[in-house]
Amino acid sequence: MDIATIVGIGGGFTLMIVALLLAGSHGSGQGLSFGQFIDPPAAIMVLGGGLCVVMTSVPLAKFLTLPKMILKLIRNQSDDLPSLVRQIVTLSELARRDGLLALERHVPELTNHSLAIGVQMAVDGTRTEIIQQIMRTEMKAEEARHHVGKRMFDMMGRCGPAFGMIATLLGLILMLGNLDDPDSIGPSMAMALVGTLYGAAMANMICMPCAEKLAYLSHQEQLSKEIVLQGVMAIQAGDSPRVVEQKLSAYLPASVMREAA
Amino acid sequence: MDIATIVGIGGGFTLMIVALLLAGSHGSGQGLSFGQFIDPPAAIMVLGGGLCVVMTSVPLAKFLTLPKMILKLIRNQSDDLPSLVRQIVTLSELARRDGLLALERHVPELTNHSLAIGVQMAVDGTRTEIIQQIMRTEMKAEEARHHVGKRMFDMMGRCGPAFGMIATLLGLILMLGNLDDPDSIGPSMAMALVGTLYGAAMANMICMPCAEKLAYLSHQEQLSKEIVLQGVMAIQAGDSPRVVEQKLSAYLPASVMREAA
Amino acid sequence: MDIATIVGIGGGFTLMIVALLLAGSHGSGQGLSFGQFIDPPAAIMVLGGGLCVVMTSVPLAKFLTLPKMILKLIRNQSDDLPSLVRQIVTLSELARRDGLLALERHVPELTNHSLAIGVQMAVDGTRTEIIQQIMRTEMKAEEARHHVGKRMFDMMGRCGPAFGMIATLLGLILMLGNLDDPDSIGPSMAMALVGTLYGAAMANMICMPCAEKLAYLSHQEQLSKEIVLQGVMAIQAGDSPRVVEQKLSAYLPASVMREAA
Amino acid sequence: MDIATIVGIGGGFTLMIVALLLAGSHGSGQGLSFGQFIDPPAAIMVLGGGLCVVMTSVPLAKFLTLPKMILKLIRNQSDDLPSLVRQIVTLSELARRDGLLALERHVPELTNHSLAIGVQMAVDGTRTEIIQQIMRTEMKAEEARHHVGKRMFDMMGRCGPAFGMIATLLGLILMLGNLDDPDSIGPSMAMALVGTLYGAAMANMICMPCAEKLAYLSHQEQLSKEIVLQGVMAIQAGDSPRVVEQKLSAYLPASVMREAA
Amino acid sequence: MDIATIVGIGGGFTLMIVALLLAGSHGSGQGLSFGQFIDPPAAIMVLGGGLCVVMTSVPLAKFLTLPKMILKLIRNQSDDLPSLVRQIVTLSELARRDGLLALERHVPELTNHSLAIGVQMAVDGTRTEIIQQIMRTEMKAEEARHHVGKRMFDMMGRCGPAFGMIATLLGLILMLGNLDDPDSIGPSMAMALVGTLYGAAMANMICMPCAEKLAYLSHQEQLSKEIVLQGVMAIQAGDSPRVVEQKLSAYLPASVMREAA
């Protein structure tokens, strides 16, 4: 588990409050009122509007995976690639020594789902091209599904500033229609600007970096599946364990492999 | 049918009204007048301008497919892929047992148009490369046509804010030319800003997510045609039903296949 | 000929005038003066500036093709693809019945230039790979030239808002330097904003959709040439007319082919 | 030599002065002072800042090629492709008649450097694949180097508006800190806006179209090298001069070849 | 080592101070106070916010490589490609004269890590395809890792203006809530604008050009590895030193090779 995502989002909002306290105490002697920054209509517009945009742009079933994706961002897990490489090298040693069929009883021990399936297919004697086609298709299809997930956050990020502006415009138009009380212009305008603030914060502090993180996690999963695919191919081809290790280590930075050794 | 698109668009505008009611009641004791937010010239400029841009950028025949595309967004249908996979697996069993020609009398039962055509070509003894070339060409050509559809919504989405600004500029220029009556400045400016609001709402709440949804639907249709193509190839090659199932299931998430089983 | 492009541009400006008349009559009792919206320096800056940018970015000879491209947009022609497909199918029937050489006397009747050249090369006995290489090279080279044409409109579209802003800045700076007469501030500011209006209108109502249309027309030409190329290949390979028809119809939507039949 | 680039940039600034003179004479009776538009700090910020950004983003050696690239833009030269095609066709006639070795004494006459090298390699009996690999590598490497050149202008173009805004912000902050003299607000604000004007002008009138032109020139050079490569291949393969001409003419528009004939 | 990056960033800020001094002395007689431009809350928001966004979007381990990447930008090193080419040519001469195995004792002298590994694999008799697959995989994987590094600076660059705007909005909202003291409006607004200034400066003067520079350095490393790969292939294939030189020189501009000779 990696806490960077939560720390990053939480840290951003903490810094915003620190900046406010500093600016509030600095600018004038009087206390800072956080109430100035709480505007429920703007929050409804920015957050609700963003969710509506996402709902419009994907099927309902996809939209309902949003909580699962947020969970994924919080759990923030990715495979331990060096140990995956070592595991495959060990399998290749077994296959060299005892034959491909000897791997069958190790399949249930494999925690990596793709590796288990790939090795099972190899043990079953499925032809190399078919194993490769099936595993590649799975990778491509999964990548496309992950891409839709990333797009949902992208959409919210791209729309955030626009919905912030819409909230601000609603406030400005209401204010301009009632200019009778000059004293209320300042606070009304302040309230209108809070919408822009919400939009910018939601887009830049949450949605955009989360979309980026999902892309990163998806890339890591693809990398892990690529290593599994190349490993299964190499085992089936009967490559020597040293060659298998060289082939698979090439996917990882030299420093990581050295550390892991 | 999937109601997400309609719910998403309707929900966005409902939220906007809720936000207005909240802001109106909150900001001042007096009732909120929705008339402040109705500006026919701005609506003409934003909606009509957007349609004119689309008309300029595609041939008339393409432009006239806009209503059909809106219907498609509302119907929001996509193939049931797991049952498509099962259907192809059943066909492959038949072909293995009774020969390729036995499929001919099942062709009229096939509801999926591409599948019917592909199986018919296979039954007719068309060479594999030619079946593949024809089906790939159809997929590419259809994708290009869908892309033009998506571009129409993209264009309206990209131009929306600009036409909103144009409406606002027209209002501002008229107002600045008649500054004699200071009391009318506020309402005139409010009215001018309504144009920007319309542009932002049209672009972000309707056009952009609809373009995204069209891209999603197009991707799903491509996926369905790819499954049909791979299925027809596999049947013609005489693959065992189990291999056909493995090959085609790879396009779908594991969870979906398990559920459907 | 397709009038969509002219109707689209003309319609946009008509709508702008309608919106102005509505807004003018609505906002105040006094008549609307169109003179407020006419600003020669801004027009010089926006239109002239855009043309200068295009001139800077391409060679003179390319720049001078602008009028030809505007004519192309107005003529707005694209090949009748279903009849092209039928023509090639007829040629393939002739070739099957009377031999490839029998096509020679039909070459002068072929109105499609690429088809005539392709069939002539096939009749001359040029090798398939060479025909394919030559026709592909022509397609690629033509696409690159069309792309430069599209880029010219793109450049004007991208620069439009910037030149509008430059015109507005020139007006604002002049105004701010002479604040002595408060009565002139409103009209001066109105005049300055006209520049922004011009820039937004030129970019969004003319240049951007025209660039898009040129891309569409170029895509159609490529499609037509691809059909010709595949047709010539198939005729030379001696495919049966039914296969030729299947291969080429795949480029067109099913509905279009049915209608045309 | 093609004067379009210089005329384009010069024309843009001339139009700006014309627009100013028109606006100045129109807006008020008093003479227009160009001094209002001269702001050394803003010029330092916009031009110097842009150069610093470029210096940060490439190695010093690359940065120092900027003057050479400006010269290239001014000289604005590209190969005469039709005469290049004719030259290669002539070489292929010689090679057919007198053998490949007969080309050796024509090598020194070849003004096109790539052609000379390619023909020399062919005469030396270098294998086709090696000639092709070497010439393709050169093309790719040169394209990558040209791309870095284009990026330098792109960077300045992208940063221009930002540095204009920075200059304006510096001016505004200074002004807002000294609001004591109301008479100086107008001129100070005018001066601040000059920064935005400089940024927009530099980006849109100079950097962006120059980057585009460099991309165009690079594309032309690639085209010329591709023609040379295909020509050398065809000569080495012993193609008939008529086929060589057909192959190479395909890279040029039909009209150009006809004119040149 | 190349000092361009440091000089570029330092130069940008120096120019900003020069512009300020000029503008300050020019605008009014009184001394310029740099304190006007120092706003700790804005600095916290812009710099801290940017770092939080990066932390959110990558795993912690990746985030912690930021200092190493800054060091890399400062050291700003790239391989001396002409000497690398000469070194490989020398190796190919040795291999031709004394056989491939004779290279083994030169491996420890090779300072280029990839070259050492590649030559070692060739000496070990690893098959060409496997050497190529391993070296290509390493290049692809390294490129992907570099890309993540570049993305971190990109993210900060893209978010910079947004965080600047957030800082400004916080300041404006605070100010608009306390409009009682008209004298404080100017300085408060000035202070609020400092946030926008920080955001624009961080994004345009630091993050964006640094991301570009990282992309450049990554491209250079890829080029160096490509030369090594082609060199090892050519040595293993037993190409003559002259062909090796021709093949590898093609990656470099002609002028550089001539100078180095």
Side-chain angles (χ1 to χ4, degrees), chain D residues 143-209:
Chain D
E143 193 179 21
R145 287 192 299 271
H146 283 174
H147 186 71
V148 175
K150 175 184 181 292
R151 288 297 292 162
M152 291 203 273
F153 281 84
D154 265 344
M155 291 290 292
M156 278 188 82
R158 268 204 293 162
C159 291
F163 281 107
M165 194 181 79
I166 288 175
T168 296
L169 282 169
L170 293 178
L172 281 180
I173 293 168
L174 281 176
M175 180 196 85
L176 288 165
N178 302 300
L179 286 178
D180 310 328
D181 176 14
D183 278 357
S184 78
I185 293 181
S188 294
M189 194 133 181
M191 200 44 100
L193 286 180
V194 170
T196 303
L197 181 67
Y198 283 7
M202 188 183 81
N204 289 285
M205 292 164 73
I206 304 180
C207 298
M208 209 181 74

Side-chain angles (χ1 to χ4, degrees), chain C residues 23-252:
Chain C
S25 68
H26 189 70
S28 58
Q30 67 204 81
L32 163 83
S33 146
F34 277 109
Q36 274 186 285
F37 293 91
I38 291 170
D39 181 8
I44 287 174
M45 201 63 237
V46 171
L47 191 62
L51 289 172
C52 283
V53 160
V54 174
M55 202 194 276
T56 308
S57 65
V58 292
L60 201 55
K62 215 61 196 163
F63 178 71
L64 295 174
T65 62
L66 256 182
K68 218 174 70 184
M69 239 160 355
I70 291 168
L71 215 74
K72 191 177 173 183
L73 278 168
I74 292 173
R75 285 188 33 240
N76 203 351
Q77 238 156 6
S78 54
D79 291 343
D80 176 6
L81 298 182
S83 86
L84 177 65
V85 168
R86 276 197 309 277
Q87 204 174 13
I88 297 173
V89 171
T90 311
L91 289 173
S92 81
E93 279 163 7
L94 279 169
R96 278 282 268 228
R97 214 180 46 210
D98 308 329
L100 207 52
L101 292 177
L103 297 184
E104 183 143 38
R105 74 200 144 83
H106 294 283
V107 170
E109 299 162 15
L110 298 173
T111 49
N112 185 305
H113 186 62
S114 310
L115 184 56
I117 287 179
V119 171
Q120 185 62 54
M121 283 196 288
V123 167
D124 291 354
T126 314
R127 267 183 305 137
T128 307
E129 309 88 66
I130 291 182
I131 297 184
Q132 192 163 7
Q133 189 190 342
I134 290 173
M135 292 182 80
R136 277 252 175 272
T137 302
E138 257 175 25
M139 279 171 70
K140 289 267 165 68
E142 197 194 54
E143 193 179 21
R145 288 193 298 271
H146 283 173
H147 187 71
V148 175
K150 175 185 180 292
R151 288 295 294 162
M152 292 203 272
F153 281 84
D154 265 344
M155 293 287 293
M156 279 189 81
R158 268 205 293 163
C159 291
F163 281 107
M165 195 182 79
I166 288 175
T168 295
L169 284 170
L170 294 179
L172 281 181
I173 293 167
L174 281 177
M175 182 195 84
L176 289 165
N178 302 298
L179 285 177
D180 311 328
D181 176 14
D183 278 358
S184 78
I185 293 180
S188 294
M189 193 133 181
M191 200 46 100
L193 286 180
V194 170
T196 303
L197 181 67
Y198 284 7
M202 189 183 81
N204 289 285
M205 291 163 75
I206 304 180
C207 298
M208 208 182 76
C210 281
E212 196 75 10
K213 183 65 166 271
L214 282 173
Y216 183 87
L217 291 174
S218 170
H219 176 78
Q220 287 302 103
E221 276 190 52
Q222 292 287 312
L223 190 58
S224 152
K225 296 217 162 167
E226 183 69 38
I227 289 175
V228 166
L229 171 55
Q230 294 300 335
V232 171
M233 295 287 104
I235 290 174
Q236 209 185 22
D239 281 353
S240 83
R242 207 168 68 93
V243 167
V244 174
E245 191 175 2
Q246 277 183 313
K247 273 185 180 173
L248 303 188
S249 306
Y251 287 99
L252 306 177

Side-chain angles (χ1 to χ4, degrees), chain B:
Chain B
M1 179 163 157
D2 185 305
I3 56 165
T5 303
I6 301 174
V7 170
I9 295 179
F13 284 99
T14 308
L15 285 178
M16 199 187 269
I17 290 168
V18 169
L20 259 181
L21 289 172
L22 270 175
S25 68
H26 188 71
S28 59
Q30 67 204 82
L32 162 84
S33 145
F34 277 109
Q36 273 185 286
F37 292 91
I38 291 170
D39 181 8
I44 288 173
M45 201 63 237
V46 171
L47 191 62
L51 289 172
C52 283
V53 160
V54 175
M55 204 195 274
T56 307
S57 66
V58 291
L60 200 55
K62 215 62 196 165
F63 178 71
L64 296 175
T65 62
L66 256 182
K68 218 174 71 186
M69 238 160 353
I70 291 168
L71 215 74
K72 192 177 171 183
L73 279 167
I74 292 173
R75 285 188 34 237
N76 204 351
Q77 239 156 8
S78 54
D79 291 343
D80 175 6
L81 298 182
S83 86
L84 178 64
V85 168
R86 275 197 309 276
Q87 202 173 14
I88 297 174
V89 171
T90 311
L91 288 173
S92 81
E93 279 163 7
L94 279 169
R96 278 283 268 233
R97 214 180 46 208
D98 309 328
L100 207 53
L101 292 176
L103 297 183
E104 184 142 37
R105 75 200 144 82
H106 294 284
V107 170
E109 298 161 14
L110 299 173
T111 50
N112 185 304
H113 187 63
S114 310
L115 182 57
I117 287 180
V119 170
Q120 185 62 54
M121 282 196 288
V123 167
D124 290 353
T126 314
R127 268 184 303 138
T128 306
E129 309 89 65
I130 291 182
I131 296 184
Q132 191 162 8
Q133 189 190 343
I134 289 173
M135 292 183 82
R136 277 253 176 270
T137 303
E138 256 173 27
M139 278 170 72
K140 288 267 166 67
E142 198 194 54
E143 194 179 19
R145 288 193 298 272
H146 283 173
H147 187 70
V148 175
K150 175 183 180 292
R151 288 296 291 162
M152 292 204 271
F153 281 84
D154 266 343
M155 292 288 293
M156 279 188 81
R158 268 204 294 162
C159 291
F163 280 108
M165 195 182 78
I166 288 176
T168 295
L169 284 170
L170 294 179
L172 282 181
I173 293 168
L174 281 176
M175 181 196 85
L176 289 165
N178 302 299
L179 285 177
D180 310 328
D181 176 13
D183 278 358
S184 78
I185 293 180
S188 294
M189 194 130 180
M191 199 45 101
L193 287 180
V194 170
T196 302
L197 180 66
Y198 284 7
M202 188 181 81
N204 290 285
M205 291 164 74
I206 304 181
C207 297
M208 208 182 76
C210 282
E212 197 74 12
K213 183 65 166 271
L214 282 173
Y216 183 87
L217 291 174
S218 170
H219 176 78
Q220 287 303 101
E221 277 190 50
Q222 293 287 313
L223 189 58
S224 153
K225 296 216 164 169
E226 184 69 38
I227 289 175
V228 166
L229 171 54
Q230 294 300 336
V232 171
M233 295 287 103
I235 289 174
Q236 209 184 22
D239 281 354
S240 83
R242 207 168 68 92
V243 167
V244 174
E245 191 175 1
Q246 276 182 314
K247 275 186 180 175
L248 302 188
S249 305
Y251 288 100
L252 305 179
S255 58
V256 162
M257 285 313 296
R258 241 177 290 124
E259 248 170 61

